[in-house]
Amino acid sequence: MDPLLAKAIVVAASAVGAGLAVIAGIGPGIGQGFAAGKAVEAVSRQPEAQGLVIRTLLVGCGVAETTGIYGLFIALALLFFNPLVNLL
Amino acid sequence: MDPLLAKAIVVAASAVGAGLAVIAGIGPGIGQGFAAGKAVEAVSRQPEAQGLVIRTLLVGCGVAETTGIYGLFIALALLFFNPLVNLL
Amino acid sequence: MDPLLAKAIVVAASAVGAGLAVIAGIGPGIGQGFAAGKAVEAVSRQPEAQGLVIRTLLVGCGVAETTGIYGLFIALALLFFNPLVNLL
Amino acid sequence: MDPLLAKAIVVAASAVGAGLAVIAGIGPGIGQGFAAGKAVEAVSRQPEAQGLVIRTLLVGCGVAETTGIYGLFIALALLFFNPLVNLL
Amino acid sequence: MDPLLAKAIVVAASAVGAGLAVIAGIGPGIGQGFAAGKAVEAVSRQPEAQGLVIRTLLVGCGVAETTGIYGLFIALALLFFNPLVNLL
């Protein structure tokens, strides 16, 4: 088989894989929005706690972000330093 | 094998990958809408807290937006500075 | 290889990619509907706050709309100023 | 290559892309239904606020409808004034 | 190429596209069901408000139905007055 065709198949599948990977971002998007909603609720009830609320929100969102970053990392790996092509 | 066919396969998969990537936007859309709903609830109950509420809403939505931007970035990378074509 | 077939493969995938991209609209649709539901609840309880409520609703929905617009932009890019065909 | 096959591939993919695009309608359907449910709740509790409630409902649903219309627009573009066939 | 094969490819993809398009019906199905549930709740609590509740329900469900109709329209267009076959 032609090595070029082999490469083309792998690289093409990497493009689809990169797109699929960042779909993981659905999760943090929903979760962080929920947390933001609860933070809004909290600061409106206790305005004096705003600093505390936003700090807690950011800690929680930082944790929730991780899986989105996993998706981004896999997508970037597939696009910019594709390790699969070297396996051929 | 014809290099043109190889390129065509990769570029075609990039179009599909770009479309898949922005599907990540489902997450921020749901999450930010939830946060907006809570903000609406909060300002109707404590109108005097409106400035505080909207500021907290925007901080939270900024965090939730990030994964949507990851998707957009991967899509733009696939469309406008496609790094995969150079791997062939 | 025939350049026409190469183009056809890329353009066909662009049609599928454009369709996939606007699926991102699921998110804002759900989120903004939730926010609208909360706004309805709020104005029925405090009719005098209607102006404030609708303004806050529109701010929140504007933020939630962004990822839907990302999807629309990628779809329009694939349909109307397709950058991928030039990569061949 | 036969130009007819090239056209057939692109037009066939446009049919699939159009079908995918209107799947975006899942979002507004869920969101507007939620808003309608909250409106029903509100008018049964405060029947005198019905006009206000329905007006707020329609404002919110108008915003939520936008991403569904993005999907419809891309689908109609693919079916009725297909710009991709001209790229061949 | 055989024009019959070209037509077959397009018509086959139209069948898939039509099937994908009506998947949009998931949204109104969930949303209107939620609204109907809230209506049932409301009339059981305030039976005298039944007329008002059902009228509000129908307004809301009419709005939520629209994106399902978009999907149906695209599916019907693909099946009964397929504009894509004429593009060949």
Side-chain angles (χ1 to χ4, degrees):
Chain A
M1 185 195 168
D2 194 321
L4 186 58
L5 177 58
K7 256 194 177 170
I9 292 172
V10 170
V11 171
S14 297
V16 174
L20 287 168
V22 283
I23 292 179
I26 291 176
I30 297 176
Q32 291 169 347
F34 179 84
K38 288 294 180 184
V40 161
E41 209 170 65
V43 298
S44 77
R45 231 182 288 137
Q46 277 118 329
E48 72 282 2
Q50 194 199 7
L52 205 64
V53 161
I54 286 187
R55 231 170 324 128
T56 310
L57 175 66
L58 291 181
V59 169
C61 285
V63 176
E65 186 79 3
T66 51
T67 55
I69 290 172
Y70 297 168
L72 178 64
F73 173 75
I74 297 298
L76 291 174
L78 284 166
L79 292 194
F80 292 103
F81 47 98
N82 196 307
L84 297 172
V85 171
N86 303 327
L87 290 179
L88 289 179
Chain B
M1 185 200 167
D2 195 321
L4 186 58
L5 177 57
K7 258 194 175 170
I9 293 172
V10 170
V11 171
S14 297
V16 173
L20 287 167
V22 282
I23 291 179
I26 291 176
I30 296 177
Q32 292 169 347
F34 178 85
K38 287 294 180 185
V40 161
E41 208 170 67
V43 298
S44 77
R45 229 181 289 138
Q46 277 114 329
E48 73 283 1
Q50 193 198 8
L52 206 63
V53 160
I54 287 187
R55 229 170 325 128
T56 310
L57 175 66
L58 292 181
V59 168
C61 286
V63 175
E65 186 79 3
T66 51
T67 55
I69 290 172
Y70 297 169
L72 179 64
F73 172 75
I74 296 297
L76 291 175
L78 283 165
L79 292 194
F80 293 104
F81 49 97
N82 196 307
L84 295 172
V85 171
N86 303 327
L87 289 179
L88 289 181
Chain C
M1 185 202 166
D2 195 321
L4 186 58
L5 177 57
K7 260 194 174 170
I9 293 172
V10 170
V11 170
S14 296
V16 174
L20 287 167
V22 282
I23 291 179
I26 291 176
I30 295 177
Q32 292 169 347
F34 178 84
K38 287 294 180 184
V40 161
E41 209 170 67
V43 299
S44 76
R45 227 180 292 137
Q46 278 114 327
E48 72 283 2
Q50 194 198 8
L52 205 64
V53 160
I54 287 188
R55 229 170 325 127
T56 310
L57 176 66
L58 292 181
V59 168
C61 286
V63 175
E65 186 80 3
T66 51
T67 54
I69 289 172
Y70 297 169
L72 179 64
F73 171 75
I74 297 297
L76 291 175
L78 283 165
L79 293 194
F80 293 103
F81 50 96
N82 196 308
L84 296 172
V85 171
N86 302 326
L87 289 179
L88 290 181
Chain D
M1 185 202 166
D2 195 322
L4 186 57
L5 177 58
K7 260 193 173 170
I9 293 171
V10 171
V11 169
S14 297
V16 174
L20 288 168
V22 282
I23 290 179
I26 290 176
I30 295 177
Q32 292 169 347
F34 178 84
K38 287 294 180 184
V40 161
E41 209 170 67
V43 299
S44 77
R45 228 181 292 136
Q46 278 114 327
E48 72 284 2
Q50 194 198 9
L52 206 62
V53 161
I54 288 187
R55 228 168 328 127
T56 309
L57 175 66
L58 292 181
V59 168
C61 286
V63 175
E65 187 80 3
T66 51
T67 54
I69 289 172
Y70 297 169
L72 179 64
F73 172 74
I74 296 297
L76 291 175
L78 283 165
L79 293 193
F80 293 103
F81 50 96
N82 196 308
L84 296 173
V85 172
N86 303 326
L87 289 179
L88 289 180
Chain E
M1 184 200 169
D2 194 323
L4 188 57
L5 176 57
K7 261 195 172 167
I9 292 171
V10 171
V11 170
S14 297
V16 174
L20 288 168
V22 283
I23 291 179
I26 291 175
I30 295 176
Q32 292 169 349
F34 177 86
K38 285 293 181 186
V40 162
E41 209 169 69
V43 298
S44 76
R45 226 182 294 135
Q46 280 115 326
E48 72 283 1
Q50 194 197 7
L52 207 61
V53 161
I54 289 187
R55 229 169 327 127
T56 309
L57 176 67
L58 291 181
V59 168
C61 285
V63 174
E65 186 78 4
T66 50
T67 55
I69 290 172
Y70 298 168
L72 178 64
F73 173 74
I74 296 298
L76 290 174
L78 283 166
L79 294 192
F80 292 104
F81 49 97
N82 196 308
L84 295 173
V85 172
N86 303 327
L87 288 179
L88 289 180

